Amino acid sequence: LIDTPERFLRFLRALLGGLENLVTTPDEEGAGSTGDWGEGFDGETLLDDLVRAAARDPGRLTPVRRLIRDLRSTEEGRKIVPDDLYALWSVIDRATQAEGFDGTS
């Protein structure tokens, strides 16, 4: 189901913000998105969602952590997770784990 960067970003937003961001029709594919991983989805940024989850409820990042780890473990998956997003995620992930907020306790 997650076979393109666009679908990955949509699923990531669903993990962070709720399932209402997951369901779209083929006509809506890309609607509300600027094509840049940081913008779109009704004007909110994915960065905001990641930082908000890290600050307010770091446990919500656990499925994100697993998903990104699983995707980045294969060459095909590394094509799905944009490098810039992965670099940003790495910073957020290290910060939450360093503070003991990795959601695994």
Side-chain angles (χ1 to χ4, degrees):
L1 293 176
I2 302 174
D3 57 355
T4 65
E6 294 78 20
R7 288 184 178 177
F8 166 72
L9 295 174
R10 189 174 304 116
F11 187 74
L12 184 57
R13 282 293 305 242
L15 285 175
L16 293 169
L19 295 177
E20 65 277 356
N21 291 319
L22 184 60
V23 180
T24 60
T25 65
D27 291 340
E28 293 172 328
E29 190 113 357
S33 174
T34 64
D36 177 8
W37 66 264
E39 295 288 336
F41 299 99
D42 299 325
E44 293 184 11
T45 64
L46 187 55
L47 173 61
D48 290 342
D49 290 341
L50 286 168
V51 172
R52 188 177 302 115
R56 295 181 183 169
D57 188 5
R60 291 185 67 200
L61 296 178
T62 300
V64 174
R65 184 175 292 110
R66 287 186 201 131
L67 175 63
I68 291 175
R69 182 185 58 227
D70 290 349
L71 287 172
R72 295 291 292 192
S73 70
T74 67
E75 184 176 337
E76 183 178 317
R78 285 187 293 274
K79 293 177 184 175
I80 293 171
V81 180
D83 289 337
D84 289 347
L85 175 60
Y86 181 69
L88 172 67
W89 165 252
S90 296
V91 171
I92 292 170
D93 189 37
R94 281 192 307 270
T96 56
Q97 288 185 20
E99 295 296 323
F101 298 120
D102 63 1
T104 60
S105 22

